[in-house]
Amino acid sequence: MCSNHLAGESIGIVGAGFGGLTAAAYLAAEGADVTVYEKQPQVGGVAGVIEEEGFRFDTGPSWYLMPDLFERFFGNFGYEPTDFYKLERLDPQYRILWTDGDGVEIPADTSEVIDIFESYETGAGAALESYLEQSAETYEIGMNRFVIPNRSRFRDYLSLDVLRSARGLSLLGTMDDHVAEYVDHPKLQQILQYTLVFLGGAPHNTPALYNLMSHVDFELGVYYPQGGMYAVVEAIAAVARDAGAEIQTETEVTGLQPVPDGVTVQTATATVTHDRVVCNAPAAHVERELLGPEMHDRDEGYWTDRTYAPSAYMLYLGVEGDLPELEHHTLVLPPEWDDHFESIFETQQWPAEPSYYVNVPSKTDPTAVPSGHETVVVLVPIAPGLADTEEARERMRTRVLDSLADHADTDLCGRIAFEREICVSEYREQFNKPRGTALGMAHTLFQTGPMRPSHRAPGVDRLYYVGGDTNPGIGVPMCLLSGEHVTETIVEDASESGPIRSFIGYTA
Ligand SMILES: Cc1cc2nc3c(=O)[nH]c(=O)nc-3n(C[C@H](O)[C@H](O)[C@H](O)COP(=O)(O)OP(=O)(O)OC[C@H]3O[C@@H](n4cnc5c(N)ncnc54)[C@H](O)[C@@H]3O)c2cc1C
């Protein structure tokens, strides 16, 4: 599959998250001499792994969504995902436990979900059908016209064809209003909106075009890669190495200096000049801390004014015995969740009554635990920038364990054999995430498409961005596309004969 458009180019990549690793694979396959510099001892970025005392935890992503985009990545290198890991579709896909004692399992069969909707509200079954029709259409237009093709600049939207497509998208409204047009019941509204947390947004600040997430959820399905999400990280790293990329871990980049026809990368032990540098590290960190202030177009105000996606209080527990009340994925939600979103985006407080997510991968994957145990990962979305003192974390830990006992009939008291936490400080210090956001820049209307940082860093020649902070955005499947797009952008820039299409064949 190698096209060698970049033969003879030396390219440095700062960061080995999904975006950095994917870019490394594509760029190396294009013939570039690729070196990845990663600060942490392991690759994967926020999608890391804890392996201790017989327990294995994915530290970040756990929902394997949009399987077609994983197929697309591996397919571009002549593989299938199943050459690296076994994939299982989850059924039920997830369970929702409301704190008022109600609960529901969402099956993989959409017709059963329609029945569930009807049981909550007369007419809601038909409303869901029509919601999903619209969601499928938005997905089709959104993916094929805006997300899969490399369109991150305003001028990429200026063709008549693209504007015609945009008419089909209800771009300007909020998800709150959009969902209310279909169903009234607050619990049904939550089912249609919970996926927004994947985008780092809330129903009131996420554009309605992201109703496409319900198509992803109900129609495309929820999968689990055996070995966990880290099996996917390892597979992509293997593809990148196989294509010739060198990956250096425990190698923090401390400075970037543009020079004529290149960019110099500074680490503790070396100064290396590459023809181009791609940054997977957060854009705010790159522009504020790695480049001198005179070297970029965006000022401090730009970065302080951004809407950052939530941070997270993460609790990783190895637990004795089984957990019959929890599914592989369980959401524990108060019937009224506006206060929690307000605590994240408005008041920036720890949530008093949190909505949270519990992942028990050992239900599907016995290799994640010693026998007779389960792994439990709790994720509470919280405001970025919160002070996560020991006392504050302890309060949240107690709140979550009490809530599991009260609302999920799961008392973990005396059963915890292993425990770790990750919170705001770790995202800020280990991964250089601004304000300790877990996800990066939220997908608000003004941080979507051409208004997100683009692949070409403004004001600095030969410097590029890849990963969740740039286009298409947050989430593993989007980061896979981002690696493809930044490669196309670089191939275009490197070509003396003008724009050319690289080996990556998309159908726009
Ligand atoms: C808790 C959590 C749950 C999630 N759940 C899901 C999910 O279920 N499904 C899903 O699809 N997505 C999920 N996501 C989102 C998804 O994981 C991310 O969007 C994606 O992994 C981000 O990848 P990235 O390419 O932006 O890189 P990042 O993961 O941000 O990695 C960037 C890398 O750059 C490195 N770096 C930073 N500064 C430097 C420096 N100066 N020198 C060298 N290296 C540096 C960092 O150490 C890091 O390894 C979740 C994220 C989190 C945190």
Side-chain angles (χ1 to χ4, degrees):
M1 296 297 281
C2 176
S3 304
N4 272 331
H5 289 117
L6 299 174
E9 287 249 349
S10 152
I11 300 185
I13 298 181
V14 186
F18 268 109
L21 291 175
T22 307
Y26 281 123
L27 290 165
E30 287 285 5
D33 183 4
V34 174
T35 307
V36 182
Y37 303 92
E38 169 53 54
K39 176 178 189 274
Q40 294 298 315
Q42 59 180 215
V43 297
V46 297
V49 68
I50 298 171
E51 277 184 288
E52 278 182 58
E53 300 174 28
F55 294 102
R56 190 187 62 235
F57 302 89
D58 284 312
T59 57
S62 53
W63 297 67
Y64 187 104
L65 302 169
M66 302 181 164
D68 48 329
L69 292 184
F70 293 83
E71 280 162 24
R72 180 186 176 92
F73 170 78
F74 288 109
N76 277 329
F77 294 87
Y79 297 112
E80 291 176 19
T82 47
D83 291 330
F84 297 92
Y85 47 86
K86 185 167 166 253
L87 211 48
E88 287 190 31
R89 182 155 184 188
L90 299 178
D91 189 9
Q93 306 208 113
Y94 49 94
R95 177 177 289 176
I96 300 180
L97 297 174
W98 280 285
T99 55
D100 63 3
D102 189 17
V104 70
E105 267 178 10
I106 300 296
D109 180 347
T110 311
S111 66
E112 292 176 37
V113 186
I114 289 168
D115 293 343
I116 292 171
F117 268 57
E118 192 61 28
S119 72
Y120 275 85
E121 178 181 322
T122 306
L128 176 63
E129 277 185 273
S130 101
Y131 185 91
L132 288 178
E133 264 170 40
Q134 143 96 103
S135 163
E137 197 186 319
T138 313
Y139 183 85
E140 198 61 32
I141 296 172
M143 292 302 288
N144 288 328
R145 292 293 175 192
F146 298 102
V147 176
I148 291 180
N150 183 10
R151 289 191 216 282
S152 58
R153 300 169 298 188
F154 276 105
R155 71 174 136 113
D156 298 325
Y157 287 76
L158 291 182
S159 87
L160 270 181
D161 181 39
V162 171
L163 289 177
R164 255 198 309 274
S165 301
R167 275 213 316 253
L169 302 173
S170 26
L171 272 171
L172 294 176
T174 65
M175 273 296 287
D176 250 347
D177 294 338
H178 181 70
V179 167
E181 282 173 24
Y182 289 82
V183 288
D184 291 327
H185 200 294
K187 287 179 181 168
L188 300 183
Q189 293 188 352
Q190 286 183 337
I191 295 174
L192 295 177
Q193 290 171 334
Y194 86 92
T195 49
L196 301 185
V197 176
F198 292 135
L199 305 167
H204 73 271
N205 69 9
T206 306
L209 70 92
Y210 288 110
N211 71 64
L212 62 82
M213 288 303 290
S214 287
H215 179 71
V216 170
D217 180 5
F218 296 121
E219 311 279 19
L220 302 183
V222 180
Y223 291 79
Y224 176 77
Q226 283 292 339
M229 289 299 279
Y230 207 70
V232 185
V233 171
E234 285 177 326
I236 295 173
V239 171
R241 286 194 180 100
D242 197 43
E246 186 200 347
I247 302 174
Q248 300 178 2
T249 51
E250 295 185 87
T251 308
E252 178 170 11
V253 172
T254 53
L256 292 170
Q257 178 69 45
V259 293
D261 293 335
V263 178
T264 297
V265 170
Q266 183 72 52
T267 69
T269 54
T271 303
V272 184
T273 298
H274 294 281
D275 295 316
R276 297 167 204 277
V277 168
V278 178
C279 295
N280 184 217
H285 163 66
V286 171
E287 295 193 13
R288 293 195 292 195
E289 288 157 60
L290 300 186
L291 288 165
E294 71 289 358
M295 286 176 214
H296 45 81
D297 283 3
R298 291 183 277 240
D299 59 16
E300 178 62 24
Y302 173 87
W303 295 113
T304 47
D305 289 350
R306 294 307 90 194
T307 302
Y308 292 103
S311 186
Y313 170 76
M314 302 292 302
L315 188 58
Y316 307 89
L317 303 173
V319 169
E320 287 165 13
D322 57 357
L323 302 165
E325 299 305 321
L326 298 175
E327 267 300 334
H328 184 110
H329 297 300
T330 304
L331 304 166
V332 184
L333 307 178
E336 176 47 61
W337 64 1
D338 288 355
D339 285 353
H340 188 159
F341 282 117
E342 209 177 294
S343 77
I344 296 174
F345 291 103
E346 321 298 334
T347 60
Q348 315 221 313
Q349 308 275 341
W350 286 83
E353 198 190 349
S355 308
Y356 59 96
Y357 156 62
V358 190
N359 177 218
V360 187
S362 51
K363 294 236 162 195
T364 316
D365 187 350
T367 68
V369 277
S371 80
H373 290 75
E374 301 275 16
T375 43
V376 179
V377 180
V378 178
L379 185 166
V380 186
I382 56 173
L386 273 188
D388 58 345
T389 59
E390 222 174 286
E391 300 73 39
R393 289 181 185 220
E394 183 55 32
R395 269 197 303 277
M396 185 45 68
R397 176 185 183 277
T398 307
R399 204 168 283 167
V400 165
L401 293 181
D402 287 351
S403 169
L404 281 172
D406 292 346
H407 306 303
D409 207 9
T410 302
D411 190 350
L412 298 182
C413 204
R415 298 170 58 188
I416 297 174
F418 178 88
E419 181 163 351
R420 285 280 181 286
E421 280 178 356
I422 291 182
C423 201
V424 180
S425 304
E426 283 85 346
Y427 289 116
R428 191 178 50 232
E429 285 153 27
Q430 292 180 12
F431 301 109
N432 291 324
K433 298 277 186 193
R435 299 180 61 73
T437 167
L439 297 169
M441 286 171 61
H443 280 270
T444 59
L445 184 59
F446 293 105
Q447 294 181 178
T448 288
M451 286 167 287
R452 248 179 139 63
S454 64
H455 293 300
R456 292 181 182 87
V460 187
D461 235 14
R462 295 171 172 261
L463 190 74
Y464 302 84
Y465 289 120
V466 72
D469 272 353
T470 178
N471 273 295
I474 291 172
V476 177
M478 297 301 108
C479 291
L480 302 185
L481 280 176
S482 177
E484 184 176 326
H485 291 172
V486 79
T487 304
E488 288 187 342
T489 304
I490 290 174
V491 167
E492 187 178 313
D493 288 356
S495 156
E496 285 170 13
S497 52
I500 49 168
R501 178 71 47 86
S502 70
F503 72 86
I504 306 149
Y506 59 70
T507 48

